[in-house]
């Protein structure tokens, strides 16, 4: 037995486990063995492993790193014993579920307690201010304190207009940076000249991209026009960052096939959906049971970019895998209900309007986390969707293993969907609707991708005798 644990420890070190964490890996492996006693490791099944992890995932006190450590220890244990089940468990899915959603995560960043809990300032501050500070106070923190009333007015206007939480966070940060640039002066005392100086400083000294400078301009224009009621007409011209013309990264069909082959389990299904429907990453991880329509067949993408709903086709090849996924989710949900859990996050304060809806089957996530976690806003124990970082890492790693010499990420699957649909003969307006673009000029970029290089022009080299 001592030789076995020596091999266990050696394997853990090879995987990068730090020396001070080795003893905890051993303890977590021993806890698993105690829970599944009476069976040799070679006889352990997927149900043994997933049942133990599901139980661990319902423990309210377990932290993210502890759950991840448990997953790693069990995998290490089974690999040390050469148990067949080590290659059958979707370890990536369980490891991704170790990361719970942060308080400023786009899914839940605007979830606040009902009126009467906490003070008013805590309920009005932006989503970014809820993120716990691990480092020393930054100059922007002081700006937020000194100009909290103005920032709260701006955030209230942003939320009234239903802008996304990431737009809210970006606008708040840019306004704070502008105030800091102006020596912490009140923006009501500043005019277009200081705004122009700030934007030119970003382009000249900061060397930022054109999109970054445009975002800063949009934030300050929103502050002055929509919050302070002042015109920006007198700002005039200013030095603009050069906007490069870049084509999106598109994979060939054979490259997509190789990429998807290198991804397993739930992450394979999610990556296939990204390519098969053209959905954005967050649109995929936020899918709920009610959004899948097998009868038509289609998927309703709700509250996409720009607060818009749209319909995308449900790929026929994914119908059966999706049905199997929903069966697993239903079984997990029923177990949660039996143990007094089963709630999910509901958007737009629907939980207060319909108190029991959070436990209904139609509102459950299609890709739920493998464990329960405390909602950082409400303090309730819920089952959120999987964290998007896990799929991002899986796609990137699969691209590297497949030898694809391109920048492979989740969004390139959306680009590939659009390009391949156009190649199949569908018109640009149809593709615009499928992608959810507000302007057809955004979709037109894919027509340039189709006509690039040798596809549009015959090289003169090929004409030489």
């Amino acid at each position: 037995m001592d030789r076995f644990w020596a091999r266990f420890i050696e394997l853990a070190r090879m995987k990068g486990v730090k020396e001070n964490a080795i003893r905890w890996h051993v303890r977590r492996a021993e806890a698993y063995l105690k829970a599944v006693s009476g069976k040799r490791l070679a006889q352990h099944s997927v149900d043994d492993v997933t049942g133990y992890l599901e139980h661990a995932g319902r423990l309210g006190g377990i932290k993210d790193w502890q759950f991840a450590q448990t997953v790693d220890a069990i995998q290490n244990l089974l690999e040390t014993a050469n148990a067949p089940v080590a290659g059958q468990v979707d370890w990536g899915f369980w490891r991704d579920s170790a990361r719970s959603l942060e308080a400023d995560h786009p899914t839940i960043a605007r979830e606040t307690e009902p009126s009467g809990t906490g003070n008013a300032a805590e309920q009005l501050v932006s989503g970014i201010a809820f993120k716990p500070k691990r480092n020393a106070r930054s100059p922007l923190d002081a700006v937020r304190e000194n100009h909290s009333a103005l920032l709260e007015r701006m955030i209230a206007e942003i939320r009234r207009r239903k802008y996304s939480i990431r737009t809210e966070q970006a606008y708040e940060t840019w306004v704070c940076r502008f105030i800091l640039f102006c020596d912490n002066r009140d923006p009501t005392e500043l005019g277009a000249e200081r705004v122009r100086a700030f934007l030119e400083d970003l382009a000249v000294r900061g060397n930022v991209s054109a999109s970054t400078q445009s975002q800063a301009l949009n934030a300050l224009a929103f502050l002055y026009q929509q919050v302070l009621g002042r015109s920006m007409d007198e700002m005039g011209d200013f030095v603009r960052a050069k906007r490069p013309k870049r084509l999106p990264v598109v994979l060939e069909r054979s490259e997509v096939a190789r990429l998807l082959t290198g991804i397993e389990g739930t992450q394979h299904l999610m990556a296939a959906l990204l390519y098969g429907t053209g959905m954005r990453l967050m649109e995929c991880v936020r899918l709920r049971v009610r959004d899948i329509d097998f009868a038509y067949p289609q998927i309703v993408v709700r509250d996409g970019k720009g607060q818009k709903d749209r319909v995308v086709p449900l790929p026929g090849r994914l119908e059966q895998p999706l049905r199997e996924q929903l069966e697993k989710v239903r079984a997990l949900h029923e177990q949660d209900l039996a143990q007094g859990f089963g709630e999910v996050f509901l958007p737009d304060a629907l939980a207060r309007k319909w108190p029991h809806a959070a436990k209904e089957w139609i509102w459950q996530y299609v890709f739920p986390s493998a464990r329960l976690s405390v909602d950082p806003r409400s303090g309730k124990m819920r089952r959120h969707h999987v964290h998007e970082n896990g799929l991002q890492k899986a796609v990137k790693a699969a691209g590297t293993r497949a030898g694809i010499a391109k920048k492979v990420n989740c969004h390139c699957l959306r680009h590939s969907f659009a390009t391949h649909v156009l190649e199949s003969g569908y018109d640009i307006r149809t593709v615009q609707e499928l992608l959810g673009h507000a302007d057809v000029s955004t979709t037109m970029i894919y027509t340039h991708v189709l006509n690039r290089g040798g596809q549009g022009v015959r090289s003169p080299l090929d004409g030489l005798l």
Side-chain angles (χ1 to χ4, degrees):
M1 182 59 69
D2 290 341
R3 292 177 59 187
F4 176 85
W5 287 112
R7 295 203 315 272
F8 173 89
I9 292 172
E10 183 61 28
L11 182 58
R13 286 173 177 156
M14 289 175 58
K15 291 184 176 181
V17 177
K18 297 180 180 179
E19 286 299 323
N20 59 356
I22 291 290
R23 63 190 180 95
W24 289 105
H25 272 254
V26 173
R27 289 184 182 182
R28 299 195 191 285
E30 289 175 335
Y32 168 74
L33 287 173
K34 184 177 180 180
V36 195
S37 59
K39 296 176 68 173
R40 297 178 58 188
L41 283 172
Q43 299 173 332
H44 284 205
S45 65
V46 173
D47 289 341
D48 291 329
V49 177
T50 58
Y52 180 82
L53 290 175
E54 285 175 0
H55 171 73
R58 291 191 176 93
L59 300 177
I62 191 169
K63 294 180 172 59
D64 293 1
W65 66 270
Q66 292 173 322
F67 189 82
Q69 195 176 70
T70 299
V71 175
D72 290 340
I74 296 174
Q75 181 182 12
N76 197 28
L77 176 75
L78 296 171
E79 288 179 354
T80 302
N82 293 320
V85 70
Q88 300 168 5
V89 175
D90 188 356
W91 298 108
F93 169 69
W94 289 99
R95 197 170 288 109
D96 296 340
S97 295
R99 182 169 181 178
S100 55
L101 304 188
E102 307 90 342
D104 66 338
H105 190 277
T107 294
I108 59 175
R110 288 199 175 133
E111 176 74 346
T112 55
E113 285 294 282
S115 299
T117 60
N119 57 53
E122 288 178 341
Q123 296 183 18
L124 287 174
V125 294
S126 70
I128 199 169
F130 279 96
K131 189 172 183 178
K133 301 291 183 182
R134 296 185 180 180
N135 303 321
R137 278 172 53 84
S138 72
L140 292 185
D141 293 329
V143 170
R144 289 187 177 98
E145 290 182 3
N146 296 336
H147 301 271
S148 59
L150 176 63
L151 293 173
E152 287 167 4
R153 283 177 58 194
M154 183 181 74
I155 290 161
E157 183 63 22
I158 289 174
R159 295 186 180 184
R160 188 181 71 82
R161 294 169 180 265
K162 300 293 185 181
Y163 286 7
S164 74
I165 185 63
R166 284 180 170 161
T167 298
E168 174 187 316
Q169 293 171 349
Y171 278 19
E172 186 219 39
T173 300
W174 280 119
V175 169
C176 289
R177 289 180 64 175
F178 170 66
I179 294 173
L180 192 62
F181 175 80
C182 298
D183 299 321
N184 209 26
R185 293 172 61 189
D186 191 333
T188 57
E189 303 173 357
L190 306 171
E193 182 180 348
R194 295 304 295 162
V195 174
R196 184 169 58 249
F198 176 65
L199 296 173
E200 289 185 347
D201 184 73
L202 286 176
V204 177
R205 189 171 62 88
N207 198 28
V208 301
S209 67
S211 60
T212 299
Q213 189 190 44
S214 295
Q215 188 184 66
L217 173 60
N218 291 340
L220 296 178
F222 184 90
L223 172 69
Y224 278 95
Q225 293 176 346
Q226 309 302 334
V227 181
L228 300 179
R230 291 170 53 179
S231 174
M232 298 284 286
D233 294 340
E234 70 271 20
M235 190 172 74
D237 198 12
F238 58 91
V239 177
R240 290 184 177 270
K242 186 176 181 181
R243 183 179 294 276
K245 292 184 178 179
R246 293 194 177 96
L247 294 176
V249 176
V250 175
L251 304 181
E252 298 176 2
R253 285 178 168 83
S254 60
E255 291 175 327
V256 173
R258 283 157 48 201
L259 177 71
L260 295 180
T261 301
I263 307 174
E264 298 180 347
T266 307
Q267 292 175 334
H268 172 85
L269 176 57
M270 296 175 71
L273 272 175
L274 292 181
Y275 172 67
T277 64
M279 285 190 291
R280 299 177 179 90
L281 172 61
M282 289 306 301
E283 292 171 345
C284 178
V285 298
R286 288 175 178 163
L287 280 177
R288 299 181 190 256
V289 172
R290 68 178 188 140
D291 301 332
I292 310 295
D293 191 336
F294 291 105
Y296 276 95
Q298 63 186 23
I299 297 175
V300 181
V301 180
R302 302 183 191 275
D303 197 23
K305 191 173 183 179
Q307 304 288 311
K308 295 177 295 186
D309 292 356
R310 72 181 190 278
V311 174
V312 296
L314 195 164
R317 294 179 61 175
L318 298 183
E319 180 177 339
Q320 186 58 32
L322 272 173
R323 288 186 183 276
E324 294 173 359
Q325 173 67 15
L326 291 181
E327 288 179 5
K328 296 177 184 176
V329 175
R330 183 182 280 277
L332 189 63
H333 179 52
E334 290 176 352
Q335 291 178 24
D336 287 344
L337 290 174
Q339 297 187 25
F341 303 111
E343 278 196 17
V344 292
F345 165 82
L346 293 185
D348 301 327
L350 290 178
R352 293 196 291 272
K353 183 179 180 181
W354 301 325
H356 303 294
K359 290 187 176 182
E360 292 180 3
W361 164 241
I362 63 170
W363 288 102
Q364 303 303 305
Y365 288 115
V366 176
F367 301 108
S369 171
R371 74 185 190 101
L372 298 171
S373 59
V374 176
D375 189 312
R377 287 302 178 95
S378 65
K380 295 181 179 179
M381 184 70 73
R382 288 173 171 166
R383 190 176 292 279
H384 296 296
H385 59 67
V386 293
H387 202 288
E388 68 276 10
N389 281 13
L391 181 58
Q392 290 173 322
K393 292 178 181 178
V395 170
K396 183 177 180 180
T400 301
R401 290 193 298 270
I404 301 174
K406 297 176 182 178
K407 185 179 179 180
V408 178
N409 54 32
C410 291
H411 209 65
C412 82
L413 292 174
R414 174 175 163 87
H415 293 321
S416 303
F417 164 84
T419 304
H420 297 165
V421 168
L422 282 172
E423 283 180 339
S424 299
Y426 290 93
D427 64 275
I428 194 72
R429 291 290 183 180
T430 298
V431 178
Q432 176 192 2
E433 185 176 333
L434 291 174
L435 294 177
H437 288 161
D439 193 329
V440 71
S441 63
T442 307
T443 318
M444 289 294 290
I445 186 67
Y446 299 108
T447 63
H448 298 298
V449 174
L450 290 173
N451 295 324
R452 70 186 185 277
Q455 295 180 14
V457 177
R458 184 170 181 266
S459 170
L461 180 64
D462 294 332
L464 295 179
L465 297 176

